[in-house]
Each structure stands twice: as structure tokens, then as C-alpha cells.
Amino acid sequence: MPCPERLTLKHISILLALTAGTILIHGYHFGIEDAAIYIPAIKKALDPRLYTFDCDFFLTQTKPMLFDEAVALIAGLVPLSLEWIVFVLHLASIFLLVYGCFRVSASIFSDFAARWGGVAMVAALITMPVAGTKLYIFDQHLHPRSLATAFLLLAVSDILHDRLKRPLLWLVLSAVMHPQMTAFGLVYCLFLIIRKPLSRLSASATSGLFGILPFMGPAPAAWSEAMATRTHHLLQNWHWYEWLGIFAPLSLLWLLRTEARKINNPRLEFISTRTAAFGALFFAAAVVISINRSLLRFATLQPLRSLQIVYLMLFLLGGGLIGQYVLKHRPLRWLLLFIPVSAAMFLGQRAIFPSSHHIELPFSGPCNKWVEAFDWIRVNTPREAIFVMHPFYMDLDGEDNHGFRAYAERSMVADRMKDAGVSALFPGLADRWAGQVRDLDGWEHFGRADFTRLANKYGVSWAVLEKGHPAADTLECPYRNDRVSVCATGQQASPREIPSDPSDTLQQHAFTPLPALHP
């Protein structure tokens, strides 16, 4: 049965309910993980005066896409704070994802329970880790990859209906959001469009995949240091259970292929087979890269991140079969399956973000002490101030992976977390990154002389010190809480007038208004 061209009110109601349920289960956070790269890029587009010292560490990654410019354009046109805009766009990306899943599911299954069983399964499991890739199926914050994934699902739906012009539009929209995800999606779409035998198709795809190697130039020596922080790029660094995250999905897809034959569902058989072959191709590429040192530069393309598509299709197809043959039209069965699954995913997210609200709404004040300090910095320090902090600050107790630049709107000396990842992807940054992080060696014992050295070399004037750092007792620290201190480090520090009660600035967690896009 073809996917309906127009959504009915019933369909829209279910999709909206799934969108709301997804937020309740998996939570929402602003400025975490990869958003530590994308949010500063958006703010830089809104106000070019920000981040004059360190913008290359996030703009280099966002330059090939239009995501940050698009969000900044919306922010310049809509009379809402950036936090509200980002939250609404995240909701929209979830809605597009479940809508895309519904369209794909409707092109494979005619049974109502099968269609919605697959969509509900994806919604319940979107923050499932994808093997050892450091990816979720879908992030709990606004990410360009999330939008690209939704567009790819719409392309897949049109391909399954032999409408081969529309997918080009979806792929273009995906490409301007996230080129890497689109590259995987393009290969996947070709696996669905080209009806050659799998052996010939895989051989052609492999030839094209490795054909780009001659265009990858030599990398600076410091790049190896940056790559050493990205252990997930190479298979030999994976744990045994992460390897299971490769073989188990591919095996299950092959079982789905067998089941599809039994129930005489040729579309399910076709897409299960092609998805398994797609995953196997990129696994083979990852193996070749991992065992051949001359191909190490190719590891930065992270071929196993293609597993995001494999996982997404596995849960969509497997959930569809469970809906058709197990859940059927029995509400109690649906509850018995999805309540425990949703509860497990909810508890998993609470374990990852124990010191933050599960849903960090734009109007709610932060409960995370690091975020409180970052907010104080944004309000009370000069725009041109340059900060320094622990090189692994996002991993420290209570920090919960919140990005400093995203909240504080200030520059910082490079870290060994997100800045290392960008430097691994773009070797031209590696020397600058390595020089800065090496100057932070021995951070736990830093004193006045070390901060003076950083002031003379980089213009550092402020430091964010974690609880227990000895320098917090010797420096002037106008803001403190039970996790972190914000301290002036030298003569270059020029703090604004500090309110008598610093917590007064934190009552509202909304950003100060930003100017519209500059021409």
C-alpha cells in the first residue's frame, strides 16, 4: 500500500505525540557535546565580534555546511531568544525524523500496527549508542546530522516508490546540513536505486570509496597527537562489546531478510538485504584502514559512522514486524513493550547527565553549577576576554559535557575534547591545537607564574578552576560555587562591575539579545 501523499489529522496527532514522548524519554540539552561546536558558530554568525581568538576551532568544521547560517538567519528574523529557536528547531527535527520513519514504514508495510510499531521503536531508542562510533542514532540536542538523517529518510521513501527525482532534493537539503551524513546516505540510496547483483554493486562502491584517497594530502606531525584522542576512529581501539555492535545488527538484518521471504514481503526483503550489504561494505573499508597505516588519513572520514543508518533501519524494520505479529491491535502489549524500553532509555540519559535537568528548557534556570558559572561569565566579563580551563573540562565531575563557548560566548585556549576532534578532522589546525594544549600540561599544579605565561603568549586574562584547584586560593575569584571558581589571572583582566549577589544574574537562563545578521 503506498504511503499517503497527504497526512491525515490522525497521522499528525500520532506524530506529534511521538515527538513529545521522545523529548520526555530522551531529554533535551543546550550546548552539549557537538553543540559546543555548532552553537558558537551560530553566535559568531549573529555577532562577528565574538570569539576573535579561537573561532577556527569551530568554524572550520561548520564552513562546509549552511546549518549555522540558516539558524542565525532564523534568529535574526524571529523575535525569540536563540535558546528558544534552537529548542523549537530540535522539536522540528524530531518531528521530521518520525515523519520520515512513517513514510518509509508505510512503503514497506500495509498493516497499521506494523507501520507504527517501527516508528515507535525508533522513537523509543533514538539515543541508543551506535557501536563504538561515539554516535547516537539521534542526538538529544539540535544537530545538523539529525536534520540530514530526516531528509535521507524522505529520500529513501521516494526511492522505494520509484520516484527518483524527489530524492535529489532531499539529498541536497541533507548535504547543506551535514555533508558526511549525506555521503553515507548517498551510497545507501545508490544501493537502493541500482538493482545490480550485490557483488557487482559492492565492488563498484568500494572502488569509488577508495578513489578519493589520492586527494588526501600529507598531515602535519601534530595531527597524530590529535588523532590519538580519537580512539573510536580505528577498529583496533574498540572494546569487544563494541564489535558486537557491528555484527549483531548485520546478522539481524539478514534474519529479517529470511523472515520477509516467509511472509512474502519483497520490499522488506529487498531493503533488509541492501542495508546489510551497505553496512558490510563500510565495515570492510574500516578494516582495511585499521590494518594499513598508509591509509590512516582516511580514518578521519569514519566509515563506521554509516552504522547510524544501519541501526535506524534495523529498529524501523524490526519494530514493524514486532508490531504486525506481536503487538497487533492490543494496547496492553504495546505498553508492556514500550514502557520498560522507554524507562531504560530514560535512566540511561539520567546517568549521562546526572547534574543537569533532564529537559533543559529555555525558561528554566540551570541546575548545573558549571553552566551557572558560564552564564555568569557571559554577563560579567569583557567580550574580548580569553579564558583557560582544564583541558578535559567537559569530562569533569558535574560538568555533563556542556560546552564553554556555547554558554559563555567567550574565547578559550584549546581543549583536548572538542577542539582535538576538529583538529583531527582538519590537519591544518593541528599545530595550533597541539601548541595550546601542551601549554596546559600540568594544569592541576598551575600557579600565578603559569597564568602569567599564558597571558603573555595568548592574552589569557581569566581562568575557570574546578573544585580543589590550588590556584583558586591565590587568585581573585569574583564568582564561586561548590563546583567551580571564575578567577582573574593577571593585569589584563578587566571585569565589569560585579553585582552584590552573583546569583542575581542567574535567575533567568535566557541569553541576552543578539543582533541580527550583519550584511
Side-chain angles (χ1 to χ4, degrees), residues 194-214:
I194 302 173
R195 303 302 170 93
K196 288 182 179 181
L198 280 176
S199 58
R200 293 174 59 190
L201 179 59
S202 297
S204 300
T206 303
S207 175
L209 192 62
F210 287 98
I212 67 173
L213 285 175

Side-chain angles (χ1 to χ4, degrees), residues 130-178:
V130 179
T133 63
K134 304 297 184 184
L135 283 185
Y136 299 119
I137 297 173
F138 198 88
D139 291 282
Q140 63 282 77
H141 59 91
L142 180 64
H143 198 299
R145 183 172 53 241
S146 301
L147 290 165
T149 302
F151 292 138
L152 288 173
L153 284 170
L154 297 175
V156 169
S157 171
D158 285 330
I159 290 170
L160 292 176
H161 285 284
D162 296 320
R163 296 193 289 251
L164 301 184
K165 292 183 180 180
R166 291 185 185 181
L168 181 60
L169 170 63
W170 300 126
L171 288 170
V172 169
L173 290 174
S174 176
V176 300
M177 290 293 106
H178 199 276

Side-chain angles (χ1 to χ4, degrees), residues 441-484:
D441 288 346
W443 168 261
E444 293 80 3
H445 308 290
F446 265 35
R448 284 188 176 273
D450 299 289
F451 292 117
T452 299
R453 171 173 53 85
L454 294 177
N456 293 333
K457 190 169 185 179
Y458 301 117
V460 169
S461 52
W462 289 83
V464 178
L465 303 177
E466 65 277 11
K467 180 180 180 180
H469 195 289
D473 296 327
T474 61
L475 297 174
E476 180 185 352
C477 302
Y479 178 84
R480 297 177 188 267
N481 61 40
D482 57 8
R483 292 279 189 180
V484 64

Side-chain angles (χ1 to χ4, degrees), residues 488-502:
T489 61
Q491 295 181 351
Q492 295 193 20
S494 54
R496 299 173 184 172
E497 183 179 354
I498 300 166
S500 57
D501 182 5

Side-chain angles (χ1 to χ4, degrees), residues 287-338:
V287 170
V288 172
I289 293 165
S290 295
I291 64 178
N292 190 334
R293 298 293 296 179
S294 66
L295 300 180
L296 186 60
R297 284 290 308 280
F298 195 45
T300 59
L301 298 183
Q302 306 168 79
L304 282 177
R305 290 202 160 188
S306 60
L307 286 172
Q308 181 189 10
I309 296 175
V310 173
Y311 273 53
L312 180 59
M313 296 308 299
L314 172 65
F315 292 136
L316 183 60
L317 303 177
L321 286 179
I322 292 173
Q324 183 171 350
Y325 293 104
V326 179
L327 305 180
K328 300 181 180 179
H329 297 277
R330 307 287 182 84
L332 181 59
R333 295 183 183 183
W334 287 74
L335 294 175
L336 289 175
L337 172 63
F338 284 107

